[in-house]
Amino acid sequence: MENKLDLNSPYEMDFSAIVKVQAPATVANMVCGFDILGFAVNEPYDQMQIRFQEKPGITIINDDDYNLPTDPEKNVAGAALLAMMEELPSNIGFELTIKKLIKPGSGVGSSAASSAGAVAAANRLLHHCFSKQDLVRFAMNGEKVASGVKHADNIAPCIYGGVTLIRSIFPLDIVALTAPPLFVTIVHPQIEVKTSDARSILQQKVLLKDAIKQWGNIAGLVAGLLQSDYALIGRSLEDVLIEPVRSILIPGFDQIKAQSKEAGALGGGISGSGPSIFMLSETEATAQKVAGVMHQIYNNLKLDHHTYVTTINHSGVRFVDSFITEDAAL
Ligand code: HSE
């Protein structure tokens, strides 16, 4: 890919410029679309700020209690910025401050929010010299640090907003999908599931009869979204490949899924690699009822948890003038 700044010329940096962003949480897979479907939500989100620094390289400042690495090669946002800097003149340096409000390991794209937020913010400092697809390409390097594999089903919706289909990753082919209004209920049981662990337990081979069911559901879900057919969306939110294996890592999963649907949810399942569970509903009232169901089940299991009722975020990473700092982490 051709870079848009001349690598051999020093870049004129405006040291007074500061860019602040909110990088949204995302729900990857959308049940049947492992590694190829995802959507962004309006809450929760990470807050980040970037500016140029005098010395080349990256300085990372963590403004939260998660103790994440500040070595750029080990930090997901740092890894994403390093990939971007390979296509920039060598005199450029960034200082990045991260306030994570999306708990790492929660299954709602915490690492993607850091990676995508960092490169989107840097791109604004650079007068948007890179395309959204370039930003996804850079940010996937953060996912590699987090889970050992480059996948874009959290990164793409975080950058583009809305629902995205990753038709291909090498080369990148991202399709932004339209969707009818949907309410999203998310519950995060306070346990941690590492994406790398949740990937390592998956079977590498699938039966043709299972693949056929999965293709039917993915195609049905995409058609349901494009045609605003809520019943078709609901019928298609089934996964015969990944959920049966991963759901055993999540206490109360089957009960939450069954009772949420009884309460009126269209359907749902594991958010990304878990442990969060998400459900989609046609109305806010149903989404609130579903949150009550989830709350009750985890109270009975005596498991700490947080619930969110939110909507699909259509803008992706947002540029803001100032931060609201008091949000609770998911
Ligand atoms: N598609 C990825 C997985 C998403 O399920 O492993 C991780 O958030």
Side-chain angles (χ1 to χ4, degrees), residues 179-183 224-225 227-237 266 281-283:
L182 285 163
F183 291 86
L225 290 167
Q227 295 172 4
S228 301
D229 183 336
Y230 287 105
L232 179 57
I233 292 171
R235 289 200 301 284
S236 306
L237 288 169
L266 297 168
S281 298
E282 214 177 318
T283 66

Coordinates of all heavy atoms in Angstrom, one line a residue, residues 179-183 224-225 227-237 266 281-283:
A179 N -28.6 -1.8 9.1 CA -29.3 -2.6 10.1 C -30.5 -1.8 10.6 O -30.4 -0.6 10.7 CB -28.4 -3.0 11.2
P180 N -31.6 -2.5 10.9 CA -32.7 -1.7 11.5 C -32.4 -1.3 12.9 O -31.4 -1.9 13.5 CB -33.8 -2.8 11.5 CG -33.1 -4.1 11.6 CD -31.8 -3.9 10.9
P181 N -33.2 -0.5 13.6 CA -32.9 -0.1 15.0 C -32.9 -1.4 15.8 O -33.8 -2.2 15.7 CB -34.1 0.8 15.3 CG -34.6 1.3 14.0 CD -34.3 0.3 13.0
L182 N -31.9 -1.5 16.7 CA -31.8 -2.7 17.5 C -31.3 -2.3 18.9 O -30.5 -1.4 19.0 CB -30.8 -3.7 17.0 CG -31.2 -4.5 15.8 CD1 -30.0 -5.2 15.1 CD2 -32.3 -5.6 16.2
F183 N -31.9 -2.8 19.9 CA -31.4 -2.6 21.3 C -30.6 -3.8 21.7 O -30.9 -4.9 21.4 CB -32.6 -2.3 22.3 CG -33.3 -1.0 22.0 CD1 -34.3 -1.0 21.0 CD2 -32.9 0.1 22.6 CE1 -34.8 0.2 20.7 CE2 -33.5 1.3 22.3 CZ -34.5 1.4 21.3
G224 N -31.5 -10.6 6.9 CA -32.4 -10.1 7.9 C -32.0 -8.6 8.2 O -32.9 -7.8 8.3
L225 N -30.7 -8.4 8.3 CA -30.3 -7.0 8.7 C -30.6 -6.0 7.5 O -31.2 -5.0 7.7 CB -28.8 -7.0 8.9 CG -28.3 -7.7 10.2 CD1 -26.8 -7.9 10.2 CD2 -28.7 -6.9 11.5
Q227 N -32.8 -6.4 5.2 CA -34.3 -6.2 4.9 C -35.1 -5.8 6.1 O -36.3 -5.8 6.1 CB -34.8 -7.6 4.4 CG -34.2 -8.0 3.0 CD -34.6 -9.4 2.6 OE1 -35.4 -10.1 3.3 NE2 -34.0 -9.9 1.5
S228 N -34.4 -5.5 7.2 CA -35.0 -5.1 8.5 C -36.1 -6.2 8.8 O -37.2 -5.8 9.3 CB -35.7 -3.7 8.3 OG -34.8 -2.8 8.0
D229 N -35.7 -7.4 8.7 CA -36.6 -8.5 9.0 C -36.2 -9.1 10.4 O -35.3 -9.9 10.5 CB -36.5 -9.6 7.9 CG -37.5 -10.7 8.1 OD1 -37.9 -11.0 9.2 OD2 -37.8 -11.4 7.1
Y230 N -36.9 -8.6 11.4 CA -36.5 -9.0 12.8 C -36.6 -10.5 13.0 O -35.8 -11.1 13.7 CB -37.4 -8.2 13.8 CG -37.0 -6.7 13.9 CD1 -37.8 -5.7 13.4 CD2 -35.8 -6.3 14.6 CE1 -37.5 -4.4 13.5 CE2 -35.5 -5.0 14.7 CZ -36.3 -4.0 14.1 OH -36.0 -2.7 14.2
A231 N -37.7 -11.1 12.5 CA -37.9 -12.5 12.7 C -36.8 -13.3 12.1 O -36.2 -14.3 12.7 CB -39.3 -13.0 12.2
L232 N -36.3 -12.9 10.9 CA -35.2 -13.6 10.2 C -33.9 -13.4 11.0 O -33.1 -14.4 11.1 CB -35.1 -13.1 8.8 CG -34.0 -13.7 7.9 CD1 -34.1 -15.2 7.8 CD2 -34.0 -13.1 6.5
I233 N -33.7 -12.2 11.5 CA -32.5 -11.9 12.3 C -32.5 -12.9 13.5 O -31.5 -13.6 13.8 CB -32.5 -10.5 12.8 CG1 -32.3 -9.5 11.7 CG2 -31.4 -10.3 13.9 CD1 -32.4 -8.0 12.0
G234 N -33.7 -13.0 14.2 CA -33.8 -13.9 15.4 C -33.5 -15.3 15.0 O -32.7 -16.0 15.7
R235 N -34.1 -15.8 14.0 CA -33.9 -17.2 13.6 C -32.5 -17.5 13.2 O -32.0 -18.7 13.4 CB -34.8 -17.6 12.3 CG -36.2 -17.7 12.5 CD -36.9 -18.5 11.4 NE -36.7 -17.9 10.1 CZ -37.4 -16.9 9.5 NH1 -38.2 -16.2 10.3 NH2 -37.2 -16.5 8.3
S236 N -31.8 -16.5 12.7 CA -30.4 -16.7 12.2 C -29.3 -16.6 13.3 O -28.2 -16.9 13.1 CB -30.1 -15.7 11.1 OG -31.1 -15.8 10.1
L237 N -29.7 -16.2 14.5 CA -28.7 -16.0 15.6 C -28.5 -17.4 16.3 O -28.8 -17.5 17.4 CB -29.2 -14.9 16.6 CG -29.2 -13.5 16.1 CD1 -29.9 -12.5 17.0 CD2 -27.7 -13.0 15.9
L266 N -34.8 -11.2 20.5 CA -34.7 -11.8 19.2 C -33.8 -13.0 19.2 O -34.0 -14.0 18.6 CB -34.2 -10.9 18.1 CG -35.1 -9.6 17.9 CD1 -34.3 -8.6 17.0 CD2 -36.4 -10.1 17.2
S281 N -32.8 -7.0 20.9 CA -34.2 -6.8 21.1 C -34.7 -5.7 20.1 O -34.0 -4.8 19.8 CB -34.6 -6.4 22.5 OG -34.2 -7.4 23.4
E282 N -36.0 -5.8 19.8 CA -36.6 -4.9 18.9 C -36.9 -3.6 19.6 O -37.0 -2.5 19.0 CB -37.9 -5.5 18.3 CG -38.2 -5.1 16.9 CD -39.4 -5.8 16.4 OE1 -39.5 -7.0 16.6 OE2 -40.2 -5.2 15.7
T283 N -37.2 -3.7 21.0 CA -37.6 -2.5 21.7 C -36.8 -2.3 22.9 O -36.2 -3.3 23.4 CB -39.1 -2.5 22.2 OG1 -39.2 -3.6 23.1 CG2 -40.1 -2.8 21.0

